[in-house]
Amino acid sequence: MADVETVTHDVLIIGAGGAGLRAAIAAAAAGVSVGVVCKSLLGKAHTVMAEGGAAAALGNVDDRDNWRVHFADTMRGGQYLNNWRMAELHAQEAPDRVRELEAWGAVFDRTPDGRILQRNFGGHRYPRLAHVGDRTGLEMIRTLQDHAIHAGIDVHMEVTIIALLKDGGRVVGAFGYDRERGRFRLFRATAVVLATGGVGRAYSITSNSWEYTADGHCLAYHAGAALQDMECVQFHPTGMVWPPSVRGILVTEGVRGEGGVLRNSEGRRFMFDDIPENYRSQTADSEDEGWRYTQGDKDARRPPELLTRDHVARCIMREVRAGRGSPHGGVYLDIAWIKERLPGAAEHIKRKLPSMYHQFKQLADIDITKEPMEVGPTTHYIMGGIRVDGDSQMSTVPGLFAAGECAAGLHGANRLGGNSLSDLLVFGKRAGDHAAQFAKAQGEGRIDPAEVDAVAAAALRPFERGAAGEGPYQVQHDLQVMMQELVGIVRREDEMQRARAGLAALRARAARAGAVGNREYNPGWHTALDLPNLLDISEAITRAALERRESRGGHFRDDYPDKDPAAAGYNIVIQKGADGAMAVSRVAIPPLPEPLAAIIKEQSA
Ligand SMILES: Cc1cc2nc3c(=O)[nH]c(=O)nc-3n(C[C@H](O)[C@H](O)[C@H](O)COP(=O)(O)OP(=O)(O)OC[C@H]3O[C@@H](n4cnc5c(N)ncnc54)[C@H](O)[C@@H]3O)c2cc1C
C-alpha cells in the first residue's frame, strides 16, 4: 500500500460546520474516540456565514408558537415531500438544542425580559428565529467549536476526503489529501458521519464558497448510498447583483423580516400581485398590515415579501423578464423606507443588520439606511441529499451517517429560512449519538490496500497530464454557466436534455484535466479533483429534474408549471446501478400518521 499517514478513530466526521461539530460533541459524549476532518480551517464553514438565525418554537416573542405550528410550517413550506418523521423530530427538539447552545455560552439577542429574542422569517407563522444580529452562524460555530475541543476530539484541518473505503457492505474508513503538502492521509473508522454541506459551486451565481463542491453527496453515492430529491435546489431570492465581482453573495431574509420591501423599477411592491392560494389567509392584504406584522403586532399577518423563498425568487424573475427590473438585472430591496415609520431608523438598521450594512457599504458603496439595494436570485442551498433514516441519520449503507445540508428529508421541496441551523443541531446530535452506538457495537473493519492504491493513483493522474491536459478551471466555469442557464430556476425538458448532452462532453474534458507544479497548496490540482463530484451532482440534479414532471418548491418547470397531486406521494431516488451508471427511481413516501395529519389540518384552518 502507498506510504500514507494513517489515523484511527471510532467515529470519523467529515465536515466541521454546525452538523459535524454537533455530531462530534454527541459522539465524544458517548465515550468513543472522534476525529473531525475539514477542507479548510476549523471555524470556517458555511455555518459561520449564516446570518438570519436558527428556527425553534421557543415561543418567547409570541406564545402561540409551539412545535405543532413549526411542524406544519415546515411541511407546508416543503410542499409535503418532507420526511415527516424528521420534520416532527426537528420541530420537537429544536428548542432544547437552542437552549443547550445558550447554556454552552452562545449569547443570543434578548427580549426585554431577558429571554432569547426571535425574529420573523419567510414561511414561519410566528417570530421563530433565535439570532445574534445578522451574525448568528458565527456565534453558533464559536460555541460548538469551543465545546467540541473541550470534549477531546481530534481535528484534521485542511484535509479533503476523496473516497470512502468499504469492507463488504460496510464503510470502514476514508482517504484524502492534505492541502498544505499534498500528502495522502488514510482514516480508519468504525462509523463515518458525512457533514459536508452543499453543492452550490455547480452553479455560476451562488452564495456558496469554494468548499461546496458536493463532496459528501458524491462520496456517499459512490459508496452505494441512495440520494433523494436532487431536483430540489433552493435559489434564494436575494443575492447581490452588482458589482459583478460580488454577484450571488447573500442578502439575508432578515432584511425583509425587519420590514424591508421588494419593489420593481416602477416602484410597485409586486409581491402583493401574486399570493399563492394556500398562503392567502396568512398573508397581509395591505402594506400597513405587513408593516405592523414586522413590528410584532400579533393581529397582523405577514407581508408577501415573507412568502417562501421559491415563490419570491420566481416573482423576482418574472419582474426582470417583464422588463421591470433594476439596471443590473435584479429588483430593489428597500429597508431605508422604514425611516417613514420609525424614529432613529438608520441606527436601528445598523444595529439589527450590521453585516448587511457593511457588506453593501464596502462591496457596492451603497448605504442601505439611505438607498435601496439591488438584489436577484442566487443558488443557495440543496434540499436534496443523502437519503437517511429519520431517527438515526444512517444512510442506506451500514456505518455511513449523514447530517446537515448534505442529508435529505427534513425540508422536502423547499427549506424555510432558519430551519437549516436548527437542522444541524437536531440531526447533528442524532447522527453523532447513533454513529457512536454503531461504532461500539461493531468491530474494526478491514481496509483493502489495493483499493487505497487505486484511489491514490487516480488522484495523481492530473499531474501525469500536466500542461498538456485541459485547464480544470475552464471546465468548472463552463459547467457552472451551463447549469445556471439550463437547469436553473426555471427548467424545461429540451434545455435539460441539452444539459445532459453537455455534461457528457464536459465529463470527457474533465477526464483530461491536467495539473502543473507540485503537490503543495496546488489549487489547480484540487479543482481537477473536485470536477468529477461537480459533474456527478449536476447529472443527479438534471436527471431528477427531468423525472419530476411538475413544479414543486424549489423545482419549477416551465413546461409543467402546476403541482401534480400524485407527485406529492413520491421521492426521486438516485443510486449507482450495478453497471456503474446512475439509476433514477420513484419511491413512495410512507403515509403520514393520523396524529401528524391532524396537526396539518388543524394548522391549515
Ligand atoms: C451566506 C449564508 C447565509 C445563511 N444563513 C442562514 C441562516 O440564517 N439560517 C439558516 O438556518 N441557514 C442559513 N444558511 C444555510 C446554512 O448556513 C447551511 O445550510 C449550513 O450552515 C450547512 O451546515 P453543515 O454543517 O451542513 O455544513 P457546512 O457548515 O457547510 O460545513 C461543511 C464542512 O464540510 C467540510 N467539507 C466539505 N467537503 C469536504 C471534504 N471532501 N473533505 C473534508 N471536509 C469537507 C467543509 O470544509 C466544512 O467544514 C446560510 C448559508 C449561507 C451560505
Side-chain angles (χ1 to χ4, degrees):
M1 183 164 73
D3 178 23
V4 293
E5 186 183 336
T6 303
V7 185
T8 303
H9 295 289
D10 295 321
V11 174
L12 179 72
I13 294 167
I14 306 176
L21 289 174
R22 190 61 193 81
I25 291 168
V32 299
S33 80
V34 180
V36 174
V37 194
C38 51
K39 225 165 156 175
S40 59
L41 298 173
L42 182 63
K44 198 229 142 276
H46 258 164
T47 304
V48 81
M49 295 159 77
E51 296 163 352
L58 297 158
N60 288 353
V61 171
D62 194 320
D63 58 14
R64 290 172 297 180
D65 203 13
N66 58 56
W67 79 264
R68 299 160 72 88
V69 191
H70 193 181
F71 167 76
D73 285 352
T74 302
M75 294 292 292
R76 188 186 304 113
Q79 304 196 354
Y80 306 102
L81 282 195
N82 318 58
N83 175 327
W84 46 258
R85 176 65 176 152
M86 287 175 77
E88 178 188 23
L89 291 169
H90 170 253
Q92 288 171 339
E93 295 177 7
D96 281 349
R97 295 287 77 79
V98 168
R99 280 190 282 262
E100 173 183 77
L101 213 56
E102 186 187 40
W104 293 345
V107 184
F108 290 99
D109 286 2
R110 321 300 298 177
T111 61
D113 63 353
R115 291 179 297 161
I116 296 174
L117 183 60
Q118 297 182 271
R119 68 159 42 122
N120 292 310
F121 240 58
H124 292 282
R125 187 158 195 163
Y126 301 119
R128 192 175 280 149
L129 266 67
H131 61 278
V132 186
D134 56 3
R135 294 175 180 149
T136 312
L138 175 62
E139 188 69 4
M140 184 161 151
I141 206 105
R142 229 169 17 200
T143 307
L144 290 173
Q145 201 174 293
D146 278 3
H147 208 75
I149 294 297
H150 287 102
I153 63 162
D154 289 334
V155 182
H156 308 274
M157 280 191 257
E158 298 205 299
V159 173
T160 301
I161 298 298
I162 53 172
L164 294 176
L165 304 168
K166 282 173 77 179
D167 180 3
R170 195 184 125 198
V171 167
V172 291
F175 185 78
Y177 64 87
D178 75 67
R179 292 171 64 75
E180 193 179 347
R181 293 171 305 165
R183 294 201 188 149
F184 292 126
R185 197 93 58 97
L186 173 64
F187 297 89
R188 294 178 181 275
T190 317
V192 173
V193 179
L194 291 167
T196 49
V199 310
R201 286 282 152 175
Y203 287 84
S204 59
I205 302 175
T206 178
S207 64
N208 288 196
S209 83
W210 63 269
E211 285 169 81
Y212 300 100
T213 49
D215 299 2
H217 293 76
C218 297
L219 289 168
Y221 169 76
H222 288 292
L227 304 179
Q228 172 181 316
D229 298 335
M230 295 305 297
E231 72 280 18
C232 297
V233 177
Q234 180 165 80
F235 299 92
H236 192 291
T238 58
M240 293 180 81
V241 297
W242 191 259
S245 57
V246 300
R247 193 173 181 116
I249 292 183
L250 195 75
V251 181
T252 175
E253 196 164 317
V255 176
R256 285 169 281 143
E258 298 296 339
V261 299
L262 290 166
R263 292 187 209 280
N264 62 20
S265 58
E266 296 163 2
R268 184 173 175 76
R269 271 182 78 179
F270 55 87
M271 287 307 303
F272 275 103
D273 299 340
D274 187 353
I275 297 170
E277 215 34 61
N278 59 338
Y279 279 98
R280 189 169 292 282
S281 65
Q282 295 180 12
T283 307
D285 54 21
S286 71
E287 296 193 9
D288 183 64
E289 184 183 6
W291 165 252
R292 286 190 283 108
Y293 175 91
T294 64
Q295 300 311 295
D297 180 344
K298 290 188 180 168
D299 295 328
R301 293 165 300 173
R302 66 178 158 234
E305 279 85 359
L306 290 179
L307 285 163
T308 52
R309 291 175 172 179
D310 54 330
H311 181 71
V312 181
R314 280 194 294 275
C315 289
I316 293 176
M317 289 288 289
R318 187 193 57 212
E319 293 305 303
V320 174
R321 285 182 174 183
R324 296 187 292 266
S326 63
H328 302 107
V331 293
Y332 295 105
L333 172 62
D334 188 6
I335 181 86
W337 84 277
I338 68 170
K339 59 180 175 274
E340 295 167 21
R341 305 267 185 156
L342 208 64
E347 286 318 306
H348 177 82
I349 294 168
K350 285 186 205 167
R351 194 174 60 252
K352 295 304 261 181
L353 301 162
S355 299
M356 287 304 105
Y357 175 75
H358 288 291
Q359 185 171 308
F360 274 89
K361 196 85 191 100
Q362 285 167 13
L363 302 178
D365 198 22
I366 297 272
D367 180 346
I368 67 167
T369 69
K370 296 188 178 129
E371 313 160 73
M373 303 155 242
E374 265 189 85
V375 296
T378 180
T379 315
H380 184 55
Y381 186 88
I382 186 148
M383 281 70 72
I386 301 158
R387 188 170 163 91
V388 290
D389 171 72
D391 286 79
S392 69
Q393 298 287 286
M394 190 151 92
S395 73
T396 49
V397 171
L400 183 63
F401 297 76
E405 189 169 341
C406 70
L410 170 60
H411 311 290
N414 177 49
R415 174 177 73 89
L416 299 185
N419 267 1
S420 171
L421 292 192
S422 39
D423 169 6
L424 312 181
L425 297 172
V426 169
F427 295 106
K429 176 177 179 335
R430 283 184 164 268
D433 286 340
H434 287 274
Q437 266 179 37
F438 184 93
K440 283 179 181 175
Q442 305 286 325
E444 208 179 281
R446 183 187 161 272
I447 285 180
D448 177 1
E451 192 184 354
V452 173
D453 285 343
V455 177
L460 292 174
R461 242 160 248 145
F463 286 114
E464 292 164 17
R465 291 187 284 266
E470 278 268 356
Y473 292 112
Q474 194 56 48
V475 181
Q476 187 193 41
H477 175 263
D478 293 350
L479 170 69
Q480 291 167 334
V481 170
M482 187 191 77
M483 287 301 287
Q484 189 76 38
E485 278 177 17
L486 303 181
V487 201
I489 304 180
V490 177
R491 300 166 174 175
R492 300 172 51 87
E493 173 93 19
D494 55 342
E495 292 182 347
M496 291 191 286
Q497 293 295 2
R498 271 170 52 208
R500 278 197 73 184
L503 283 168
L506 286 162
R507 261 189 208 285
R509 287 174 61 194
R512 298 193 297 268
V516 289
N518 53 38
R519 284 166 66 173
E520 277 90 17
Y521 268 125
N522 187 330
W525 178 40
H526 304 159
T527 302
L529 296 182
D530 288 342
L531 284 176
N533 290 345
L534 288 172
L535 286 158
D536 285 341
I537 216 65
S538 299
E539 182 173 347
I541 293 170
T542 309
R543 298 278 303 271
L546 280 162
E547 181 68 16
R548 187 168 285 285
R549 292 184 195 93
E550 61 151 1
S551 293
R552 189 175 292 274
H555 169 67
F556 184 80
R557 290 214 29 184
D558 211 17
D559 44 359
Y560 297 94
D562 299 318
K563 277 203 262 297
D564 171 4
Y570 58 79
N571 298 120
I572 291 178
V573 169
I574 287 191
Q575 233 169 333
K576 195 169 176 178
D579 58 355
M582 197 173 271
V584 183
S585 60
R586 298 176 179 187
V587 176
I589 299 173
L592 202 61
E594 186 41 42
L596 295 181
I599 294 176
I600 288 176
K601 203 163 159 205
E602 145 205 318
Q603 294 300 325
S604 315

